[in-house]
Amino acid sequence: MLIMVAILALGAVSLVLAAFNSSTRNEVTDVRNRNAIVLAQAKAALLGYVAKEAVKLSENIPGRLPCPESTATAGTASEGTQAADCAPTESSKKSVGRLPWLTLGIDKLVDAESEPLWYAISPNWVLLAAPPQPVINVGSTGQLVFDGVTDVVAVIFAPGRAISTTPTAAQIAAGCTARSQVRGDRTHVAGGGDPDLRDYLECQNGSSPIDTTFGVAVTGNESNLAINDQAVYITSRELLAAIQGPLAERMQRTVAPLLSEYSTSWPGFNFLPYAHAFEPPEKGTAASAHCGVSAGAQTREGLLPIAPNSGACASTWTTFAVSSSATLVGCVTVASTNVQCTFRYYTMNFLGKLLFGSSSYADVTVQATAPHASASFRKPLATSDVIVPANVTARSTALTPQTDGDARLSLVVRVTDSDACDDTLLGVVCSLLSPLGLTGSSPTKTIEFPQLGVPTVQGTQLSAAVLASKAPPYSLLAPTSGEPHYWFMQNEWYRYTYYAVSQLASRDATGANLTINGFPAANGAANDKRFVLALMGPAVLGQTRGVAATVGNYVEGANAATTASPRVFAWQVYASPGNDRLATCPFTDGATPCN
């Protein structure tokens, strides 16, 4: 009987222990599930906030993450507001702080222990108080590592309850330190000090000085609790996917209208430049080398030709000549930009005038060639740009873009001189009479005109809302902060934007315009597109980037099929995984032709 009683007692104890362990396991599971839900909400809110901010005209670095909460605001009326500067307070490579829930526009999220969530961000995805500011585009990667996963841009933590840790040697080697966490800061005790991350996050998450390594996996944590953080992370791919749609809309609103306006700046031609030959964007070719292919190649698809007037894309005037009534003395470049051309014209002496008469003027035509002028964005030369001396008037300027990518200048100036041989009547006669002593002196005149520089645009095809952000004029290739397309140039999105100009809209001026299948009928016709901009997204299944200049590794479906003529694009790619986003012109909102 004693044996039976002992067996029954042991059985009862086993049942109690089993129930206790089951309850403990259920409690741990419940805590983790509750934290998982809150962390998922925080991740969705953060991605949504970044996408919302990316479409704003005032955001110069679309895609950037908000700074962590300012530590000084914890427990105050401003709690949850992001800090003004994301730079860390200690010598480190990133910032860590509490999640700025108020800035995100959400309720204060807490974990299962009622603790506010914490947050770590990659330093190349945030706004800093001092330059240089980050450049964010499809080629940007995160600098954080989470449990061996690289390319992480942000980590959100549920810190759990305060614990006291005595890590093992293996745990110390993994980045853990002994600490008895005390949370006597403003959130827990009114008037307390600023929160210390080491009292909330453990091991690699709470390392000091801060580094770029995070995670929740620690050897032997089940038997010796060294960390109780729970976390989710965000990769650059996830964030870029969230902002691609908003950025494509912004490109349609702020970039496409300016390109369309530029095409009208050359009276009578209405053309867009040839494309820069496509190359892997990861090659990182400087903007100064993005010149449209010329010399007869007539490349109409590739990257935007946004090179300024320098380097391999310089439009330095060449091949000078003057009309037959004058003689070219020579042309020189001055002040590294302008060109001075000197010519000699004929006059009649007294006897010559008595025999043949004379004119009160001489019209002289100066000719020159501007390389790359129709293979890149260049400002046309106006008559008012010509600097002339006394007794000389600039009468007309004709700058004709050529199909080979150059442009030909024909500049007419009039020299006022009562003894002059008129260009149309006596010019050739004077040149024949000179050996007979019937002509007078041969004076010289020097005119000056600029190189073809960066074009300016007035925003004539922008919506009223975009124009209100900053008044024109705008520099097309070198915008300043506040100009509508500054974000596009500053963050080098031109490297990840596929550009196609129709044969009809280029200087070739033949053939047809482009077609976009599936184009929204409410926004115009599908087959009259003068140009298409395809914003590239992160690589999809089967794409290998940075190896060769294969368009199919960057855009998908019909957008990668470059052999069709006339060219056909796809507004949405259904046949294969695709994430291209297109902007185009014409694209009407009912008020403007490209917005």
Side-chain angles (χ1 to χ4, degrees):
M1 290 183 66
L2 289 174
I3 292 172
M4 290 290 292
V5 170
I7 292 172
L8 290 172
L10 288 172
V13 170
S14 297
L15 289 173
V16 170
L17 289 174
F20 177 77
N21 289 335
S22 177
S23 175
T24 301
R25 285 194 299 270
N26 289 339
E27 181 180 355
V28 171
T29 301
D30 181 60
V31 166
R32 295 192 62 81
N33 289 342
R34 289 166 62 189
N35 286 345
I37 292 172
V38 171
L39 290 170
Q41 291 173 339
K43 179 176 179 176
L46 185 57
L47 288 171
Y49 172 84
V50 173
K52 174 182 70 72
E53 293 296 301
V55 81
K56 287 185 177 180
L57 297 174
S58 58
E59 179 53 71
N60 285 336
I61 314 175
R64 70 177 177 90
L65 293 158
C67 296
E69 173 194 85
S70 172
T71 55
T73 64
T76 71
S78 299
E79 182 177 346
T81 304
Q82 68 168 327
D85 184 10
C86 294
T89 56
E90 61 186 72
S91 178
S92 62
K93 299 179 181 178
K94 62 162 192 344
S95 296
V96 179
R98 284 179 169 160
L99 187 73
W101 54 270
L102 191 62
T103 296
L104 299 182
I106 60 175
D107 292 333
K108 182 179 181 179
L109 296 177
V110 297
D111 65 9
E113 300 293 337
S114 298
E115 288 289 355
L117 303 184
W118 282 68
Y119 170 56
I121 48 179
S122 181
N124 61 332
W125 287 77
V126 296
L127 182 66
L128 302 176
Q133 297 298 348
V135 171
I136 296 178
N137 55 44
V138 174
S140 304
T141 57
Q143 295 177 337
L144 306 185
V145 178
F146 185 88
D147 280 341
V149 177
T150 58
D151 191 25
V152 174
V153 297
V155 183
I156 306 172
F157 301 96
R161 61 181 176 85
I163 60 175
S164 296
T165 62
T166 306
T168 64
Q171 292 171 333
I172 291 174
C176 300
T177 58
R179 188 174 181 85
S180 294
Q181 292 180 330
V182 178
R183 299 176 179 176
D185 52 57
R186 288 190 180 93
T187 299
H188 297 81
V189 178
D194 295 341
D196 187 326
L197 69 94
R198 295 171 299 175
D199 287 326
Y200 293 85
L201 308 178
E202 301 85 39
C203 298
Q204 57 265 44
N205 302 330
S207 59
S208 182
I210 301 168
D211 57 32
T212 57
T213 303
F214 297 88
V216 295
V218 174
T219 303
N221 200 52
E222 299 80 3
S223 57
N224 184 62
L225 186 64
I227 183 173
N228 67 346
D229 299 336
Q230 197 170 332
V232 293
Y233 60 84
I234 298 174
T235 64
S236 68
R237 185 182 182 86
E238 291 175 299
L239 195 148
L240 289 166
I243 67 173
Q244 192 181 14
L247 287 190
E249 179 185 343
R250 192 168 171 181
M251 185 168 66
Q252 180 69 66
R253 295 168 63 194
T254 63
V255 179
L258 298 183
L259 301 187
S260 180
E261 178 188 341
Y262 168 83
S263 72
T264 66
S265 63
W266 291 65
F269 299 101
N270 199 24
F271 77 98
L272 279 162
Y274 299 125
H276 175 65
F278 185 76
E279 61 183 22
E282 295 83 2
K283 185 178 178 181
T285 301
S288 60
H290 279 236
C291 191
V293 175
S294 58
Q298 300 177 353
T299 298
R300 286 183 291 273
E301 293 189 50
L303 301 178
L304 278 164
I306 49 87
N309 192 357
S310 63
C313 202
S315 292
T316 304
W317 295 104
T318 62
T319 320
F320 298 96
V322 296
S323 60
S324 59
S325 64
T327 303
L328 181 67
V329 175
C331 297
V332 295
T333 301
V334 295
S336 301
T337 55
N338 286 14
V339 170
Q340 287 183 348
C341 282
T342 301
F343 60 87
R344 190 182 304 278
Y345 66 98
Y346 294 101
T347 60
M348 286 285 194
N349 60 17
F350 176 78
L351 182 58
K353 286 194 293 183
L354 184 64
L355 293 174
F356 297 99
S358 66
S359 176
S360 60
Y361 65 87
D363 284 341
V364 179
T365 301
V366 180
Q367 295 179 315
T369 296
H372 310 293
S374 58
S376 54
F377 292 101
R378 292 288 180 268
K379 179 182 179 180
L381 188 66
T383 305
S384 58
D385 295 328
V386 182
I387 302 172
V388 294
N391 303 326
V392 178
T393 304
R395 300 196 66 203
S396 65
T397 303
L399 186 60
T400 306
Q402 307 295 301
T403 57
D404 65 359
D406 296 341
R408 187 65 179 161
L409 170 68
S410 180
L411 168 64
V412 178
V413 296
R414 173 165 289 182
V415 181
T416 303
D417 190 328
S418 60
D419 296 331
C421 291
D422 177 58
D423 177 49
T424 57
L425 297 177
L426 300 175
V428 176
V429 174
C430 284
S431 64
L432 295 175
L433 294 177
S434 180
L436 302 178
L438 298 177
T439 58
S441 61
S442 299
T444 61
K445 294 291 183 180
T446 299
I447 62 171
E448 182 176 325
F449 51 91
Q451 307 285 2
L452 300 186
V454 173
T456 55
V457 285
Q458 298 297 322
T460 57
Q461 299 183 25
L462 295 174
S463 67
V466 177
L467 283 169
S469 64
K470 186 174 182 178
Y474 310 122
S475 172
L476 186 62
L477 302 185
T480 58
S481 180
E483 294 189 26
H485 58 308
Y486 175 78
W487 67 275
F488 183 82
M489 300 298 290
Q490 175 66 18
N491 292 280
E492 301 180 7
W493 279 102
Y494 55 81
R495 291 169 49 203
Y496 293 90
T497 301
Y498 190 66
Y499 166 66
V501 58
S502 74
Q503 189 173 1
L504 191 60
S506 69
R507 263 312 287 140
D508 192 14
T510 60
N513 279 319
L514 307 174
T515 295
I516 301 180
N517 286 333
F519 186 73
N523 299 118
N527 62 351
D528 62 350
K529 306 310 171 194
R530 292 173 52 78
F531 67 89
V532 171
L533 303 175
L535 192 70
M536 305 172 194
V540 299
L541 184 64
Q543 289 181 332
T544 302
R545 296 187 167 178
V547 178
T550 305
V551 176
N553 282 328
Y554 296 88
V555 293
E556 297 82 50
N559 300 334
T562 60
T563 56
S565 181
R567 185 74 156 86
V568 177
F569 289 85
W571 190 248
Q572 293 177 308
V573 177
Y574 296 106
S576 60
N579 58 10
D580 307 335
R581 300 292 185 272
L582 305 186
T584 188
C585 194
F587 183 108
T588 181
D589 59 358
T592 51
C594 197
N595 192 298

